[in-house]
Amino acid sequence: MITSAFTRNRMNVIIRMHCRQVRPNTRPNSQRRLFSNEKTSFRDKLSLWRKNGTFEISFGMLIFGLMGIDQILQYQQQTARETIVMNIQHQLDMDYAQTRTEMWDKKLLTQKPLFECIVKQVPQLFDGSKSLTNVQVGDTVDILEEGIGPDRMYNLCRTRPQDKKKSSTNNNNASLGWFPMSCLEKVE
């Protein structure tokens, strides 16, 4: 009996090893059909893709791809706008500098003023190409012409250098421009 039990046991081990080596295809039926060489219809493949989540994953990746493309296009559009604004600002600055140099002659720097005024206030939104710049409340300005500009509401003014010695010899640091009459007070 010992031999027969030993042989039965040995036979069982051999059968088990043989079964492991010759395993039948254990894939689920749906995967076996999807990856096999058998011809399956498009509807069958589509139903399989819906069951295993391929459709949702593909749709999600499509959405992420579109969002990435949208972000890239928005960045390009923003940089293009910034470049255009910088170019326009540069052109305006060049035009402003050219206009100021062409507008005022040397004779205006040496012309005798009609009278003097003190600046009462500086308007907040006063930055045109013909405006008097670098002026603060309390500064004294020379009036060269009265009643000019739109509605004759401006005076052509020249700033006075702080140092009187420089004023008599060199007027290069004087600034010329229009300033509203309502913001000036005549010195008597």
Side-chain angles (χ1 to χ4, degrees), residues 57-70:
I57 292 171
S58 301
F59 184 72
M61 292 190 65
L62 175 70
I63 296 297
F64 278 132
L66 291 175
M67 287 175 58
I69 290 170
D70 183 54

Side-chain angles (χ1 to χ4, degrees), residues 130 145-156 178 181:
K130 295 183 178 185
E145 287 183 48
E146 274 188 292
I148 60 171
D151 297 330
R152 299 182 165 265
M153 297 180 64
Y154 298 91
N155 288 339
L156 179 60
W178 293 355
M181 287 192 270

Side-chain angles (χ1 to χ4, degrees), residues 132-173:
L132 183 64
T133 56
N134 301 327
V135 179
Q136 297 175 352
V137 175
D139 287 353
T140 305
V141 294
D142 295 331
I143 306 300
L144 302 176
E145 287 183 48
E146 274 188 292
I148 60 171
D151 297 330
R152 299 182 165 265
M153 297 180 64
Y154 298 91
N155 288 339
L156 179 60
C157 304
R158 174 180 63 203
T159 58
R160 298 173 63 193
Q162 297 297 331
D163 190 3
K164 288 289 185 184
K165 291 178 184 176
K166 285 185 179 179
S167 175
S168 61
T169 58
N170 187 6
N171 278 330
N172 286 341
N173 58 355

Side-chain angles (χ1 to χ4, degrees), residues 27-165:
R27 286 189 197 171
N29 199 16
S30 62
Q31 286 183 354
R32 196 174 322 130
R33 275 191 286 152
L34 183 63
F35 297 109
S36 69
N37 288 336
E38 298 174 11
K39 293 200 174 196
T40 56
S41 69
F42 180 73
R43 286 186 184 177
D44 290 340
K45 286 183 181 180
L46 189 60
S47 67
L48 291 175
W49 288 342
R50 284 185 187 159
K51 287 179 185 174
N52 66 9
T54 304
F55 178 73
E56 288 83 3
I57 292 171
S58 301
F59 184 72
M61 292 190 65
L62 175 70
I63 296 297
F64 278 132
L66 291 175
M67 287 175 58
I69 290 170
D70 183 54
Q71 289 294 319
I72 291 169
L73 292 175
Q74 283 183 9
Y75 176 75
Q76 287 176 346
Q77 192 175 31
Q78 181 181 2
T79 54
R81 284 180 185 159
E82 290 172 358
T83 304
I84 290 170
V85 168
M86 285 176 35
N87 288 340
I88 290 172
Q89 185 64 41
H90 179 69
Q91 188 64 37
L92 286 174
D93 290 344
M94 287 177 40
D95 290 346
Y96 176 75
Q98 183 180 3
T99 303
R100 289 199 60 87
T101 55
E102 291 174 355
M103 185 170 49
W104 312 119
D105 312 4
K106 288 279 188 183
K107 70 177 186 175
L108 288 176
L109 291 173
T110 57
Q111 178 181 342
K112 185 175 180 182
L114 301 174
F115 54 92
E116 295 177 353
C117 287
I118 295 177
V119 177
K120 291 190 302 185
Q121 73 180 49
V122 178
Q124 289 180 348
L125 301 173
F126 189 65
D127 60 353
S129 62
K130 295 183 178 185
S131 305
L132 183 64
T133 56
N134 301 327
V135 179
Q136 297 175 352
V137 175
D139 287 353
T140 305
V141 294
D142 295 331
I143 306 300
L144 302 176
E145 287 183 48
E146 274 188 292
I148 60 171
D151 297 330
R152 299 182 165 265
M153 297 180 64
Y154 298 91
N155 288 339
L156 179 60
C157 304
R158 174 180 63 203
T159 58
R160 298 173 63 193
Q162 297 297 331
D163 190 3
K164 288 289 185 184
K165 291 178 184 176

